[in-house]
Amino acid sequence: MPLIVEMGWGGLVQYPSTITWTDISRRTDMGRGVTITRGASDERSETQPGTATLRLDNADGALTPGNPSSPYYPYVRRGAPIRISVAVMPAPTGSAPYPLEMLGDDFDDDRVDTTLWPTNYGGATEVDGRARIPVSTSGNAGYQSARQWTLAGSQITARLAKAPAAGGSSSAYASMTVSSTTAGTRLGWRYNPVTGQLTAENQVGYSDATPVSLTYSPISHAWLRIRETSGTVYWETSGDGFGWTVRRTLAAPAWVAAQQVTVEFPTTRTGGASDYVEWDLVGATVRPRFYGMVNEFPVDWEGLTSYVSITCTDLFKRLNKLPVLRSMLAQEILAQAPMVYYPLAEDDDATSAGDIGGYGAPALAITQAGSGGTLTMSAASGPAETGEQAPLFTPSTATQGKYLSVDLGPQFEDPPMYQYLCFEAWFQTTTTGRCILGVHTPDRADQHLLSIAAGGGLQIEWAMEGGPLTTEAVSSPTTLADGNWHHVVYDQREGKVWIDGALVDSGLAVSRRWGERVLHVGGYRNTRLWAGSIAHVAIHSTLSVSAGPTAVGHWTAGTTGYAGEAADERVQRLAGYAGLPSVTVWGSTHDPIASQGPGGSSVVARLREVEATESGRLFAERDWYGLAYQSRDVRYNPDPMSETFTIDYADLEPGISIADDDQKLVNVADVNRPGGASQRVTAPASILAFGEYEQNLSMLKTSDNSVLDAAYWLVSRYANPAPELREVPVEAYTMPNYLDILDADISTYFSVTNLPAQAPAPWMRVTVEGYTETIKERSHLFQFHTSATNNDSVWVLDDATYSVLDFTTRLAY
């Protein structure tokens, strides 16, 4: 059971695919062990950020922050990525021939196992827990097993811990092969440091006419595997030994099923400087336990011996440190990476408006045209679902008043990236013939304006090379000056215009130029001053934004806050605001969610609102920087055949008990939703027996009936909870189903059988809510936090198990 502890020195935890991992497993104090916590204490509590604690040897000072002599300097610092895994090593059982998956060697004793590798040559040895094989001009070198293994229905896995350098060679190779009884007939992976190619080969006569070659990546190709299943051979690579990518497939040669094979790790070199390749964890089955970041590296001493005792936290540490979200509309605009973005939501005493696009554009300044008129920030209500205020433009006349303007700077006119622009703005007015926004070159030779025509429709105006303004009317509604908020998106490249989320014109004959960097908002060059409000002005590069989805999505965000989208879609959307590329979604029951349009809360808080509304589960993945969301139906009526494992009471560690208290009891649910009714659901029999146990909930539902359904679901589950096992301690390392136990995670379930006679039942099925695991030398102790699985059973008509009156006739929600 080797423990794998790896540090991503210099990497960023949120970009796992760019991290080159360094194995520091041998520094881990296995006497004290590694402790990992995950999940929640029970099903009515939120999942907590996952943590890992471990002590590392620092005798050489390599883990001292700021130590310039450290081989990891300057990356020994807070926030360093870390991942922890367990490698389960096989051992041959029975008599030869053995399935190849039973060939396992972790090389940790620094002595060649001559039983597994009776042939080792050319100076091949074990160093620092790895098989080290010279890649030398002195001759071939390698490890070779006995011929006692079969590949059919089996596999061979190894970690390529260190690839050799080219060293000026004309030819050099390091390979992992599975060989038939015919010389030169073999399957394998071969790395060529001269070309940097990793090749999946099916050799006959020492060659393969159609190999599959990859440009070697120490990140993506850290693990290699050859596997045979149902007559097909697979060559696979992995970055962590857990998630595999198929690189080549082939109908299995006849010898795979007919012959016993050898495994060999050979090397060869012609010319150049000698080097070596290192292999590790041959035959390992890897199970990730933790992915996150180190909080700090505190250096401690015991006499002259130095250690660092680190505590690590999963992705929720970073998510919890993110700033509070702006309105959903603002977040959607920011997600498009605009060139400039002026929300225009400053306080009422502001005299300028700032860009939050992130590229450092200067602020819009209030500019006086003529005399008189006012422009007051935060004096009007913005688009409905933003919860923000907007500026109020109140000119005396079309030429007497105030507007906003700025020179965006020479970087804004730099072609080719910015040669075509996409303009976006929200506006509100009852006055026609005024300008929403306009841009021009410093010499005013080229100009572009968006304005409201005298008839109330939208128009595009432009001029080129000093010529007069030309006007193009847009086929838009003639009621834009109706006092309501409207949204416009104009794509220069495509000549298209969207108003209020709908495409209203395309192929406009408008000339497209670049270099228009002077921006005016709410007027244009001291004239056509806006009367009303303007908000959320953004300019995008058409090379990086798709205008159609932008127009539709931003209109929806500003007017409805995406009210009515499914819960899984909302979770994905919120995760995107946090920079997470995707969310793993489990289950299929996803109710519509109400708006979360206004800003002011963190992304985690909004995610938790969805989780609580849906009785779902939200947690960090344990193998990469990812988020998982489970809908409530993941737990409905679990199939006994899908249990993660079954364990006998006699195999449990001391400390098991059955709870029957009022910790989870709820018999009165007072519930409400935004803009909806306040409702109550009770369980009279429970109230009579135990008194009132009330729960108040505010849910992001879109209908009162959905709120009522959620309340019934809560009360029906917890009006009279049955006795249950809440803590199940398991020493997994000694169990024959060790791998199955390692696979247990939040919302999986298992059964405890042969309970003592005093128990209410001879066996109990429990659902995993969380766990604490402690990994030591030859020990892997789990403390599972569990709940009764039947809490989530739902009615199935005429089913012997799930239609028992007053017990399993709970209607699904």
Side-chain angles (χ1 to χ4, degrees), residues 133-196:
I133 305 171
V135 183
S136 170
T137 57
S138 300
N140 297 344
Y143 274 58
Q144 187 180 58
S145 74
R147 189 173 294 281
Q148 58 180 0
W149 309 97
T150 57
L151 176 58
S154 194
Q155 64 186 32
I156 182 68
T157 302
R159 181 168 72 170
L160 180 52
K162 178 193 175 299
S169 297
S170 59
S171 175
Y173 298 99
S175 304
M176 177 178 82
T177 65
V178 178
S179 298
S180 74
T181 56
T182 302
T185 298
R186 55 193 179 183
L187 306 171
W189 282 104
R190 183 167 71 160
Y191 174 61
N192 183 341
V194 177
T195 63

Side-chain angles (χ1 to χ4, degrees), residues 629-651:
Y629 172 72
Q630 297 174 343
S631 67
R632 59 186 176 273
D633 69 315
V634 166
R635 300 184 175 210
Y636 288 172
N637 299 351
D639 181 358
M641 301 302 294
S642 300
E643 287 187 330
T644 307
F645 64 93
T646 299
I647 191 163
D648 194 287
Y649 167 78
D651 290 327

Side-chain angles (χ1 to χ4, degrees), residues 252-272:
W255 60 265
V256 170
Q259 298 178 9
Q260 296 181 36
V261 301
T262 61
V263 173
E264 187 173 6
F265 292 90
T267 67
T268 183
R269 180 187 290 276
T270 301

Side-chain angles (χ1 to χ4, degrees), residues 664-698:
K664 301 179 182 180
L665 201 154
V666 177
N667 52 31
V668 178
D670 287 311
V671 291
N672 61 75
R673 68 180 182 91
S678 295
Q679 302 177 90
R680 167 173 281 208
V681 172
T682 65
S686 174
I687 294 172
L688 181 62
F690 308 115
E692 288 194 1
Y693 284 76
E694 185 175 358
Q695 180 77 44
N696 294 294
L697 294 172
S698 181

Side-chain angles (χ1 to χ4, degrees), residues 44-66:
R44 300 207 57 221
S45 301
E46 288 183 349
T47 56
Q48 299 300 304
T51 63
T53 59
L54 57 159
R55 189 168 85 157
L56 303 170
D57 179 21
N58 190 40
D60 59 354
L63 301 181
T64 299

Side-chain angles (χ1 to χ4, degrees), residues 525-564:
R525 295 172 51 191
N526 297 328
T527 187
R528 288 194 279 178
L529 301 180
W530 190 258
S533 295
I534 298 175
H536 299 283
V537 173
I539 303 178
H540 309 270
S541 166
T542 58
L543 298 181
S544 61
V545 69
S546 178
T550 296
V552 176
H554 295 184
W555 170 252
T556 303
T559 55
T560 70
Y562 286 99

Side-chain angles (χ1 to χ4, degrees), residues 439-573:
V439 292
H440 61 73
T441 54
D443 60 5
R444 301 177 185 170
D446 299 316
Q447 307 176 60
H448 253 95
L449 289 75
L450 274 70
S451 61
I452 301 296
L458 183 74
Q459 61 185 14
I460 310 295
E461 302 173 68
W462 81 96
M464 289 181 58
E465 300 176 353
L469 281 173
T470 300
T471 300
E472 178 87 14
V474 174
S475 301
S476 63
T478 59
T479 57
L480 294 179
D482 58 3
N484 297 318
W485 278 103
H486 295 284
H487 178 232
V488 61
V489 172
Y490 164 49
D491 185 335
Q492 274 189 338
R493 173 184 291 273
E494 300 293 334
K496 295 180 178 179
V497 176
W498 289 259
I499 294 178
D500 297 349
L503 179 65
V504 297
D505 222 330
S506 60
L508 293 174
V510 177
S511 297
R512 298 179 286 274
R513 299 286 288 176
W514 61 87
E516 298 162 328
R517 75 186 209 195
V518 181
L519 171 65
H520 305 276
V521 176
Y524 188 68
R525 295 172 51 191
N526 297 328
T527 187
R528 288 194 279 178
L529 301 180
W530 190 258
S533 295
I534 298 175
H536 299 283
V537 173
I539 303 178
H540 309 270
S541 166
T542 58
L543 298 181
S544 61
V545 69
S546 178
T550 296
V552 176
H554 295 184
W555 170 252
T556 303
T559 55
T560 70
Y562 286 99
E565 72 177 344
D568 59 324
E569 294 174 348
R570 179 64 57 81
V571 169
Q572 295 273 15
R573 185 178 304 282

